[in-house]
Amino acid sequence: MTLERRSLLALGAGLAAGLAEVRPAGATSTADLPQGSQTLRDLTDRLAKAPRRRDFKTVPMILDRPDLWDHEALSEVIAYKGGPRQVWDNTDIGGPWLNLMRNALNNQVWSFKHPDFLAASATHGSANVALYDQAMWDKYQLTKLAGEAFKTNTLIVPKKAAQADAANYQDPAGMFSPENNTIPVLMARGVVFLSCHNAIWEQAGTLIRRDLNPDKLSHDALAAELTNHLIPGVVLTPGAVGTLPELQQAGFHYAK
């Protein structure tokens, strides 16, 4: 077994063990947030304490009550008063989405001196598959949804560059470089990943149609299991496309 595979299995087990009926996102370190980013730090602390319901047995196609998504956490994001604020419409797991958000974050922090800049990822399409833990990837062969470039969910696995000296932000192979494009690293820098319920529902349906449903779950039960295995820190929304206008109306700049 390769070192990368062992790391993935350990991460998946840890994420699965962290599931609870109604849980906070988990303690989120603010060590990687920019100096002077007090407003962003306050938001990060509130998001870490905001509950995430991950005990669903079934979920409906359309979420019609706030208790069916991460209402408290999403409300905190929408109400954020720091800035600037940018929301990314991310649909392709194999696209440059993590790299683009990292570049935007670097420019806002060091070029334009905006330490309280907030980037949010409105994640749907195949990109949403990256927000499931490795246990779901193994059980449902999610590489068949993500594409052959993703044998496992490498986007949630720490990279060597994450251990580089944070003070050297110009290091071309360092913490803030393309060598460190992962979801946990961006989360630690304040990026909020929003998961799309509509994508979850559609992906559950695809798994059923392709006979990638070992427990023979119903559509609403399989969608619930996927929801329960979103990685810690993710904010579940009733739908990415429907949430985009809420964020734009609140002052978030749209990016694709």
Side-chain angles (χ1 to χ4, degrees):
M1 184 182 292
T2 66
L3 178 60
E4 179 181 76
R5 182 62 178 167
R6 286 197 297 270
S7 297
L8 280 166
L9 291 174
L11 178 64
L15 290 170
L19 296 173
E21 289 189 357
V22 179
R23 69 179 186 196
T28 303
S29 171
T30 58
D32 294 332
L33 296 180
Q35 187 174 7
S37 58
Q38 189 57 52
T39 306
L40 183 60
R41 289 172 186 271
D42 291 343
L43 173 67
T44 300
D45 288 341
R46 292 195 300 273
L47 288 178
K49 296 172 184 175
R52 310 286 201 273
R53 183 178 173 188
R54 299 294 186 262
D55 67 334
F56 294 105
K57 302 301 182 184
T58 63
V59 292
M61 181 178 72
I62 300 173
L63 302 189
D64 54 0
R65 304 192 317 269
D67 63 303
L68 294 174
W69 69 85
D70 296 334
H71 172 70
E72 294 89 344
L74 181 57
S75 296
E76 290 284 3
V77 175
I78 292 172
Y80 182 65
K81 299 305 181 185
R85 292 157 286 171
Q86 189 170 45
V87 57
W88 290 83
D89 187 356
N90 292 320
T91 59
D92 181 6
I93 190 173
W97 58 305
L98 299 184
N99 192 63
L100 291 173
M101 289 191 292
R102 179 192 56 78
N103 279 333
L105 191 56
N106 287 351
N107 290 157
Q108 282 291 315
V109 170
W110 286 295
S111 304
F112 296 109
K113 313 302 182 185
H114 293 148
D116 283 316
F117 170 69
L118 175 63
S121 171
T123 321
H124 53 130
S126 66
N128 199 72
V129 178
L131 302 185
Y132 303 131
D133 64 28
Q134 188 58 41
M136 291 294 93
W137 277 65
D138 290 341
K139 180 175 181 179
Y140 291 110
Q141 303 177 54
L142 293 183
T143 185
K144 294 183 178 180
L145 300 186
E148 288 303 310
F150 294 92
K151 300 296 186 184
T152 55
N153 191 2
T154 54
L155 299 186
I156 62 173
V157 178
K159 295 186 176 183
K160 181 180 179 181
Q163 304 303 317
D165 180 8
N168 184 10
Y169 62 83
Q170 297 286 12
D171 183 356
M175 181 177 293
F176 307 107
S177 76
E179 300 299 317
N180 204 24
N181 288 335
T182 69
I183 291 170
V185 161
L186 290 176
M187 282 184 172
R189 296 185 64 190
V191 177
V192 178
F193 285 82
L194 308 173
S195 176
C196 173
H197 167 72
N198 293 330
I200 293 172
W201 181 266
E202 291 164 9
Q203 286 156 2
T206 298
L207 294 173
I208 291 170
R209 288 193 301 274
R210 295 188 183 181
D211 197 25
L212 299 172
N213 181 17
D215 296 335
K216 305 303 179 185
L217 297 178
S218 64
H219 195 149
D220 53 1
L222 204 162
E225 183 175 26
L226 292 176
T227 301
N228 293 341
H229 284 266
L230 292 170
I231 61 174
V234 167
V235 177
L236 175 67
T237 74
V241 174
T243 301
L244 280 169
E246 301 296 313
L247 291 163
Q248 290 175 282
Q249 193 167 297
F252 281 75
H253 299 276
Y254 176 87
K256 175 67 175 174

